[in-house]
Structures are given as structure tokens and as C-alpha cells.
């Protein structure tokens, strides 16, 4: 793997080599056997602009795996086995413009992932087994407001549930998530429930006590009236 434009593709690598020159500007690690990127998986590469990890076996990327790659402009993670990604992982990539997550095993994606990339211009998400349930609503909202950043939009297809298999995610409208929006509660509503709930409970206890007192008082009045009319009976009882 020579300095500058470094091509380490198809080398049977299981981890990122640490013998890289600090002046490396492009690094191709495709078609290897890398499964995990642990904390600080890369040596100091302050000038790295392009990184390709396509066609590996990546299953996990640690939240601190990409530290020190702040100059990176293009990251290709396509054709791997990724199922979960967090915003923390991508927050060091403040210069990233292109992110390719195509052909992984992503069923959902936090909108905070692309949201953590202030310079993002192109996002590729095609050929993932998207789960089109209420959980995809936040991502759909992000995609709808950032259409110009989403590449290959027609290839963003649902896999689950079966009745929506191969249905384009971008074809959904607001009405598609009406049930999700109705069942979800805003923080203001949660606060209202916490405030109203205890008062309603105490109010119901007070009302029941008051009603019971009225019933007892009514029966007492009836007994006194009966005793006034028939004093002999009251003495016997």
C-alpha cells in the first residue's frame, strides 16, 4: 500500500493497516474481510479525503472508530452487513460530503446520523431491507425535507411488512403516517397527563367520600324522623 493514493483492496485484510503514511489522501480497503471497526481503528490521517470500505463484512462500527478523520469528504460503506448506526459514529466527520450506506442490512436509520454531518451533500441508502412501520417516520421526515441530498431515491424500497414489499419509501405521504401521529404523544401532552392525572384521582376520591356522606346523612334523617313518629320502636331497636 503505497503513500498518497493508497489501494489496499483485495489484500485479505481483517483490520485497517497502521503502516499508512500520514499524507494519505485516498484509501481503498474494499473486498477485504474487515468485520469490526473498533475505537480509533485508523492511524492519524489528517489529509484523508476519500475512504472506501465497500465489499467487506462490516457488522459493527464503534462510536469512536472514525476519530481523527475530520478532513474526510467521501465515505463508502456499501455492500457490508451493517444493521445499526449511531450519530456518535459520524460526528467527527465534520467535512463529509458523500456517504454511501447502500446494500447493507439496515432496517431503520436514525435521522440523527445524516443530521450529524453538517456538510453532507449526497446520501445513498438503496438496497437495504427497510422496515416501513411507524419507526421509519422520523427518517421519512428527514428524507422528505432533504430530497436534494438523497441519491437513488427510487431504490429506497420497503422490505417489511410483506404487503409493502418493494414499495418506494419516498412515495409515502403524511396521510400514510396518520395513525402513527395520532398514537404518539408530544412532551406537552405527557406533562398534561402527569398534572391532570393525580388531580383527577384525588377529585374522584373526594366526590365518592362526599356522595357517601350524603347517603349516610340522608339515612340518619330518615331514622330520626321515623323515631319521632314511633318512639317505642326506636327504643326497642
Amino acid at each position: 500500500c503505497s503513500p498518497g493514493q493508497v489501494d489496499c483492496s483485495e489484500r485479505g485484510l481483517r483490520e485497517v493497516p497502521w503502516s499508512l503514511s500520514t499524507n494519505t489522501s485516498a484509501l481503498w480497503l474494499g473486498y477485504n474481510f474487515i468485520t469490526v471497526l473498533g475505537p480509533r481503528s485508523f492511524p492519524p490521517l489528517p489529509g484523508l479525503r476519500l475512504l472506501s470500505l465497500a465489499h467487506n463484512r462490516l457488522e459493527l462500527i464503534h462510536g469512536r472508530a472514525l476519530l481523527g478523520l475530520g478532513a474526510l469528504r467521501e465515505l463508502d460503506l456499501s455492500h457490508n452487513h451493517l444493521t445499526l448506526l449511531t450519530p456518535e459514529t459520524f460526528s467527527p466527520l465534520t467535512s463529509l460530503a458523500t456517504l454511501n450506506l447502500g446494500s447493507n442490512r439496515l432496517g431503520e436509520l436514525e435521522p440523527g446520523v445524516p443530521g450529524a454531518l453538517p456538510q453532507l451533500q449526497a446520501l445513498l441508502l438503496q438496497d437495504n431491507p427497510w422496515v416501513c412501520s411507524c419507526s421509519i417516520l422520523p427518517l421519512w421526515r428527514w428524507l422528505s425535507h432533504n430530497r436534494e441530498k438523497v441519491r437513488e431515491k427510487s431504490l429506497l424500497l420497503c422490505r417489511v411488512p410483506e404487503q409493502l414489499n418493494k414499495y418506494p419509501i419516498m412515495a409515502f405521504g403524511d396521510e400514510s403516517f396518520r395513525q402513527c401521529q395520532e398514537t404518539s404523544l408530544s412532551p406537552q401532552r405527557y406533562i398534561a397527563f402527569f398534572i391532570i392525572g393525580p388531580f383527577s384521582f384525588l377529585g374522584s376520591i373526594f366526590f365518592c367520600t362526599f356522595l357517601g356522606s350524603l347517603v349516610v346523612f340522608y339515612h340518619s334523617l330518615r331514622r330520626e324522623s321515623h323515631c319521632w313518629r314511633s318512639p317505642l320502636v326506636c327504643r326497642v331497636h
Side-chain angles (χ1 to χ4, degrees), residues 191-205:
I191 293 172
F193 277 124
F194 276 119
I195 294 176
I196 295 173
F199 281 105
S200 300
F201 177 70
L202 293 174
S204 63
I205 293 176

Side-chain angles (χ1 to χ4, degrees), residues 31-219:
Y31 296 93
N32 283 294
F33 303 104
I34 302 172
T35 57
V36 175
L37 292 179
R40 293 190 175 275
S41 288
F42 295 86
L45 299 171
L48 189 65
R49 299 289 189 274
L50 183 152
L51 172 61
S52 175
L53 285 155
H55 293 276
N56 273 273
R57 299 176 182 178
L58 272 175
E59 298 178 357
L60 176 66
I61 302 179
H62 191 273
R64 298 173 63 85
L66 304 177
L67 286 176
L69 303 182
L72 198 64
R73 295 284 298 168
E74 182 176 348
L75 175 59
D76 189 351
L77 296 172
S78 64
H79 298 277
N80 278 287
H81 302 165
L82 295 169
T83 58
L84 179 65
L85 295 169
T86 64
E88 179 189 11
T89 301
F90 298 93
S91 58
L93 308 182
T94 54
S95 301
L96 195 70
T98 302
L99 175 60
N100 190 346
L101 297 174
S103 300
N104 274 281
R105 298 178 181 178
L106 296 169
E108 58 183 59
L109 181 70
E110 293 184 48
V113 170
L117 303 169
Q119 302 298 322
L120 187 66
Q121 298 174 12
L123 176 64
L124 294 95
L125 298 170
Q126 73 281 358
D127 299 325
N128 277 287
W130 299 108
V131 178
C132 293
S133 62
C134 289
S135 62
I136 206 173
L137 176 57
L139 176 62
W140 175 82
R141 283 175 174 162
W142 188 93
L143 295 172
S144 299
H145 290 106
N146 296 274
R147 288 178 178 269
E148 74 285 354
K149 297 180 181 180
V150 185
R151 302 290 184 267
E152 306 290 348
K153 290 187 280 287
S154 61
L155 298 179
L156 270 68
L157 305 176
C158 302
R159 180 75 59 83
V160 180
E162 186 177 353
Q163 59 268 30
L164 291 176
N165 187 30
K166 296 185 179 181
Y167 188 85
I169 294 177
M170 301 302 289
F172 286 120
D174 286 321
E175 66 281 356
S176 304
F177 297 98
R178 185 173 302 160
Q179 182 178 0
C180 303
Q181 293 169 339
E182 289 175 354
T183 55
S184 60
L185 295 176
S186 64
Q188 291 82 2
R189 291 187 178 182
Y190 275 116
I191 293 172
F193 277 124
F194 276 119
I195 294 176
I196 295 173
F199 281 105
S200 300
F201 177 70
L202 293 174
S204 63
I205 293 176
F206 176 78
F207 177 76
C208 291
T209 303
F210 177 72
L211 189 62
S213 301
L214 287 179
V215 172
V216 171
F217 181 68
Y218 173 73
H219 282 291

